[in-house]
Each structure stands twice: as C-alpha cells, then as structure tokens.
Amino acid sequence: MLELKNVFVTYDPNTIFMSNALVDISLVIKKNESVGIVGRIGSGKSTLIQLFNGLIKPDNGTVLLDNDDINSKQVDIRKVRKKVGIVFQYPEEQFFAETVFAEVAFGPKNMGMREIELKNAVFSALKDMGFSSEKIAQRSPFSLSGGEKRRVAIASIIAMNPDILVLDEPMAGMDFNGKEKLIKYIKNEIKNGRTLVFVTHNMEELLEIADRVIALDEGKKVFDGRVRTFFSDEKLIEKIGIDIPSVVRMRNKLKKHYSDIPFCRTPMEIAAYLKKRNRH
C-alpha cells in the first residue's frame, strides 16, 4: 500500500519564482487498483508520481510504502524503487545501452538479479510488450520506432517486477497495435494483483483502463473517486480542462431516450446494450 499524508512540494522557495507544485495532498493507493491521474499541464501530476519512489522528497508531509516512511534514513531506497517502478513520459530519451537487451537488463541487474534469472526476466518483459522475436534484443534501442522505444522503456521497468507500476503518458507515440498490446498487458497484470498508476491526457484510455481517478488542479487534489462518478461531474471536468470521451457523450445522449442504459467504457458496450434492448 502506498500512502501520502498532507504532502506539500514547493519549487524555488524564498524566491520570486516560488510555486506550489503540490498542496496538502493525502491519498491511499491499495493493491490491485488501477488509478488514473489527470489534470491540465502544470497541475502537479509529474511531481506527484516522483514522490512515489523517493525521486523527490516532500517539503512537508509523509510518503509511506507498506507503512514505512520511504524518506527515512532507515529505509533502503533501492528496495522502494524495486517495488515502485516509474516510466516517465519520454524515457526513450534516456537510453544509453548499445542493445535492447542491455537496456532492459540494466535495472534488474543493478538490483542484484542473477544471470539466468536476468535473462528470463528480460525476454519475458519484451514478450509482454509484444516483441515476438529474440532478435529485437540485439538491436540498438536507438534504431527502433517511437512506439517500439516506448515499449522497450516499459519493459525495462517491468523486468524488475515492481508491485506498483507507474506510467506517465504510457500510450504516447504508440500505434494502434502497440496500444492494444499494452492495454491487454495492463489489464492482465491488474487481474494478477499488480497495482497500476498512470498519468494521461487521453480520456479514452482513462475510461478503458482506470477504475479510479485522481484529478489535480493547481497542485490541489480536486477529485478522488470512481471513473463513473468523475465523468458524471461535468462542472468539474470543465473547470480542470478535461475533454469528455466520445463514448461518454454518446451514452449521455442515449440516456435521454433509454434511461436504463448502464455506464459504458467502450463503443462495443454501447452496441451490446442497444442490441440486447432491441431484442425485447
């Protein structure tokens, strides 16, 4: 379990550039949750996720992982980062290894994983990200397409088998097939007990993957609850500058004529409802 208690983060304190990145944030993320973090640019999303594994420290407040303060001197930060793996928005810009294998192996190797286990972890992670041939492992990561680079970056984190997987704009740069493979992987991992937290501007992705939404506005938490409840609050959505997904708009229009239509995440769910209803 990951918990933040009354966390504040201020950039450039005591200067004319001072800004409050996060203001009194408290939240709990439990095992097996799928949490989407949303908000306009500059709302504090990236700052928030950097707190999760100690990449930055709060100016005030506490970050707890399994009830341990991760910023305490008694806590091994390497173990924290093994449990909480973060993939940032443009991780491919930080590639440095000569081969895909070496890139994906870097993290788990530094965590002390042995050779046979390391090899299995690397190839398993690449397979999970939709790479079907071991030939990809010997290619330079710099020779890959944008979507392939993103999947390799995610593979480098999941090879460490974190309990909590944190993704910043995970679908950016991916083609349709890449997105489908990643969504399938994410859904399967959640079923198997992994916790997912992801930052996104894409509300279609949020609708399809997340069960819970945390919305930020000017560094403050303005919503924390179920996806269905979030998309029902049109005033809040407008205030924080979020686009309502086409599926939600379609469902809202149909609700005027079909009051019993359930909350739908995909066009297929709407089509299935209409098909079933027209049978009666």
Side-chain angles (χ1 to χ4, degrees):
M1 182 177 72
L2 181 67
E3 183 176 5
L4 274 63
K5 292 184 176 181
N6 307 111
V7 165
F8 291 77
V9 176
T10 302
Y11 290 141
D12 300 314
N14 303 317
T15 74
I16 60 172
F17 304 106
M18 186 181 77
S19 62
N20 295 316
L22 294 174
V23 180
D24 198 17
I25 301 292
S26 294
L27 58 87
V28 176
I29 296 173
K30 298 178 181 179
K31 183 178 179 181
N32 204 34
E33 282 199 292
S34 176
V35 183
I37 300 175
V38 302
R40 66 180 83 235
I41 294 172
S43 61
K45 303 185 299 297
S46 294
T47 300
L48 179 63
I49 64 173
Q50 289 180 74
L51 290 165
F52 291 170
N53 70 355
L55 289 171
I56 64 172
K57 296 181 180 181
D59 295 301
N60 287 291
T62 310
V63 181
L64 302 171
L65 180 63
D66 297 331
N67 296 316
D68 292 326
D69 182 348
I70 70 169
N71 296 302
S72 167
K73 293 180 180 179
Q74 286 73 40
V75 171
D76 186 344
I77 198 65
R78 292 177 302 173
K79 292 181 179 179
V80 171
R81 291 172 184 168
K82 185 179 185 302
K83 288 185 176 182
V84 184
I86 301 179
V87 182
F88 289 103
Q89 189 168 2
Y90 301 108
E92 57 270 22
E93 294 180 358
Q94 301 174 29
F95 284 167
F96 63 91
E98 293 183 359
T99 67
V100 168
F101 183 93
E103 190 69 49
V104 177
F106 179 78
K109 187 175 182 179
N110 280 341
M111 295 294 178
M113 197 174 287
R114 297 181 179 179
E115 186 173 349
I116 296 177
E117 185 184 5
L118 177 65
K119 184 176 179 180
N120 290 336
V122 170
F123 285 119
S124 177
L126 289 172
K127 183 179 179 181
D128 285 339
M129 286 298 99
F131 295 108
S132 58
S133 171
E134 291 190 3
K135 291 181 180 179
I136 191 74
Q138 300 309 315
R139 288 180 60 183
S140 165
F142 302 100
S143 71
L144 305 177
S145 69
E148 288 173 331
K149 288 178 180 177
R150 174 51 57 93
R151 286 189 281 144
V152 167
I154 296 173
S156 70
I157 297 299
I158 65 176
M160 293 188 286
N161 194 32
D163 296 331
I164 302 173
L165 181 61
V166 183
L167 305 175
D168 192 353
E169 298 289 351
M171 311 293 179
M174 287 191 184
D175 58 18
F176 179 80
N177 288 333
K179 289 181 180 180
E180 287 293 299
K181 289 172 182 175
L182 181 55
I183 288 172
K184 182 179 179 181
Y185 168 80
I186 287 171
K187 288 181 175 179
N188 184 62
E189 289 299 289
I190 293 167
K191 287 181 181 178
N192 291 333
R194 186 154 359 234
T195 301
L196 171 73
V197 182
F198 67 104
V199 173
T200 185
H201 287 95
N202 189 315
M203 294 301 102
E204 310 288 346
E205 293 170 7
L206 180 75
L207 189 63
E208 186 167 2
I209 301 172
D211 295 318
R212 173 182 166 197
V213 178
I214 296 172
L216 301 179
D217 187 41
E218 297 182 348
K220 299 176 182 178
K221 187 178 72 170
V222 295
F223 181 87
D224 186 351
R226 312 310 296 174
V227 173
R228 177 174 186 165
T229 307
F230 176 71
F231 283 117
S232 298
D233 194 338
E234 295 184 8
K235 289 184 179 179
L236 173 64
I237 290 172
E238 182 179 356
K239 179 180 183 293
I240 63 177
I242 297 296
D243 293 327
I244 298 177
S246 57
V247 173
V248 175
R249 290 198 301 268
M250 186 186 305
R251 186 256 182 188
N252 289 344
K253 289 181 179 179
L254 287 169
K255 191 170 178 62
K256 295 177 182 178
H257 304 283
Y258 307 108
S259 60
D260 64 336
I261 186 171
F263 180 72
C264 298
R265 292 177 179 266
T266 67
M268 289 75 77
E269 290 181 8
I270 290 179
Y273 163 79
L274 292 173
K275 185 176 180 180
K276 181 179 180 180
R277 197 178 195 287
N278 290 333
R279 286 176 181 169
H280 299 291

